[in-house]
Amino acid sequence: TARPQAGGVGGAQRDYAAPMVRSRTSFPALLRIVVAAAATAGSAAVAMITNARGYSSVSTAMPAAPEGVTEAAAATVPDVVRWGILGCGDVCELKSGPALYKAPGSRLVGVWRRNVAKALDFAERHSADAGYAVRAFDSAEALVGDPEVDAVYVATPPEAHCELALLVAAAGKPCYVEKPMARTAGECMRMISAFQEAKLPLYCGYYRRYLPKFLAVRDALPQLGGISEVRVRLTQTRYTPGEPVLHDWRTDPEVAGGGLFMDLASHQLDLLDWLLGPLFSVTGMASRVAPVPTPAGDAEGASTEPPAAEEGVQLIATAERGASSGPPRRAAEDNVRLMATTRDGVLVSGSWNFAAPERADEIEIMGPLAAVRFSTFNDMPPVITDVSGESTPLVHEPQHEHVHYPIVCAIVKDLLKRREDPTAKPKCSATGLAAARTNLVLDAVLEKYYGGRALSPPYWLDQTALKSSPSPEPAT
């Protein structure tokens, strides 16, 4: 596999062209097609990594160890996986970062983020907690290429998942990527192809597969007497009429892949994939209810009325994102519907509304003998209700303080096993292939709203404006 050169990777190009995901196409068939197509690109895909947003630098910076803290000695311990983090932001503070140095056989040895001062601060604070010095890097390439880093956790927003994962694959190291795995299924397939070619494992951060609450749900499914219907509902109050909607990267399709549907529904859809198997015949619709977002820090005078939209799609003027020219961008969806079936033909429906007057969070799996209902994003215990109407909470162990801890333990076991047997298959179920199935579902639901999910031309731009604009002059 081609190795990026010091001083930058690729160029400023951002060409993530990928096959479009069509509705009513089963995952297994599409996966074979897209993986085969991605494989034809081979290692050349690595050369397409961009540094347009500043993900490249060349030197490292290491903070002095806090008083009373010794340097990491993991180099002399064979049964340890030494981790580096790319993007040590909020999710790493409590949910995931500490798990990398608290799980058995796991150490966090280095971190990076674009803001070097914040990387240094993160490293210093977590060095004190870990009991040894965690290094801070000012370059993604330097961290990935460091010989003391065995595996890499990519915790940036989804926009950078593909490019950074390809960098990790080129360095010959396993990778654990935050969810959703990428902005589109096409990016997921490029990642899968790179790691398959390098014969390396790729995991995704769908940690709920390993939490006691959802393990209790899985164990209760046989009590249903089969499955007859599945319903998913999530509503949140993210928009109040008369108040401006501020910009958030989670609702910027270029960065997040879509709106909060991508960020939150991905967890729920992955749970269905894990509990019931892949979804088939996926169809969906999406619309925008709230006004277009106002740039961060510019709430005064912001519009509070939804502008006119064609077929439920709203556009954001390019100037509102700080750019001087170019076609308008699509505002992220905030109201989504899904219909699908399981492999056995069970109907699955889903509803997501982020402009609702109330909060609701429920997945309901029904069978002839009972139904189990559970939330995804709160601590309420799952409840199973039998045909007599009697409801019983499902008892389970308490959740770990660091929610990534159980899945990190599973990944570390996999990686240590690979040292004994490089051909060993992953036992951790949260693989890149499983995560790509969820992205395929997300794409199928959002395809009509965005007019496709290809990255060239970018789906987040108004395609009508792109088609009507004059072609650029050829380079000389």
Side-chain angles (χ1 to χ4, degrees), residues 412-422 424:
V412 167
K413 287 181 180 178
D414 272 1
L415 298 183
L416 292 178
K417 180 65 176 177
R418 287 187 79 250
R419 293 182 182 178
E420 303 173 5
D421 179 9

Side-chain angles (χ1 to χ4, degrees), residues 82-367:
R82 299 168 297 178
W83 289 93
I85 297 177
L86 297 178
C88 52
D90 291 344
V91 72
C92 296
E93 288 292 350
L94 182 65
K95 288 184 175 182
S96 59
L100 297 179
Y101 54 79
K102 292 184 178 182
S106 182
R107 282 195 180 226
L108 174 62
V109 297
V111 299
W112 166 84
R113 64 183 295 175
R114 283 180 291 170
N115 187 317
V116 178
K118 290 185 177 181
L120 287 164
D121 174 68
F122 184 98
E124 183 175 1
R125 288 184 291 101
H126 287 270
S127 292
D129 192 20
Y132 59 83
V134 176
R135 294 185 289 162
F137 293 77
D138 68 0
S139 156
E141 293 91 341
L143 181 146
V144 171
D146 192 288
E148 292 189 2
V149 173
D150 300 320
V152 179
Y153 169 44
V154 176
T156 64
E159 175 192 32
H161 287 184
C162 182
E163 59 188 87
L164 293 177
L166 293 179
L167 184 66
V168 176
K173 298 182 179 181
C175 189
Y176 176 42
V177 184
E178 259 302 332
K179 46 60 58 184
M181 182 173 163
R183 293 176 296 185
T184 68
E187 285 187 318
C188 293
M189 299 313 173
R190 290 185 60 206
M191 296 160 68
I192 290 170
S193 178
F195 281 85
Q196 286 181 340
E197 182 179 341
K199 295 181 173 59
L200 293 166
L202 173 63
Y203 303 93
C204 188
Y206 287 115
Y207 59 84
R208 281 175 168 79
R209 291 173 174 237
Y210 285 85
L211 296 185
K213 172 179 177 176
F214 304 104
L215 292 170
V217 170
R218 184 194 64 181
D219 293 344
L221 292 182
Q223 300 179 44
L224 308 187
I227 297 175
S228 59
E229 185 180 359
V230 180
R231 299 175 184 172
V232 182
R233 183 175 180 235
L234 181 67
T235 65
Q236 294 185 359
T237 306
R238 296 292 184 119
Y239 160 57
T240 301
E243 296 184 6
V245 179
L246 298 181
H247 181 268
D248 179 351
W249 72 259
R250 291 172 180 82
T251 55
D252 184 337
E254 180 180 3
V255 178
L260 291 171
F261 176 69
M262 290 287 298
D263 187 47
L264 300 178
S266 57
H267 269 301
Q268 297 173 302
L269 294 171
D270 177 74
L271 282 173
L272 296 186
D273 182 276
W274 173 60
L275 293 169
L276 309 175
L279 297 183
F280 293 80
S281 303
V282 179
T283 61
M285 298 180 67
S287 67
R288 174 82 184 188
V289 176
V292 297
T294 300
D298 189 24
E300 186 175 356
S303 170
T304 59
E305 294 297 326
E310 181 179 354
E311 296 184 357
V313 177
Q314 295 185 9
L315 304 178
I316 306 173
T318 300
E320 290 185 344
R321 297 188 84 256
S324 59
S325 62
R329 297 166 180 265
R330 295 183 182 274
E333 74 291 341
D334 60 13
N335 204 307
V336 181
R337 299 294 181 273
L338 170 148
M339 285 295 296
T341 67
T342 67
R343 187 185 302 275
D344 298 326
V346 175
L347 292 180
V348 179
S349 61
S351 171
W352 294 264
N353 183 353
F354 299 104
E358 61 181 1
R359 300 179 71 91
D361 173 8
E362 184 178 80
I363 296 178
E364 182 179 25
I365 303 176
M366 290 174 280

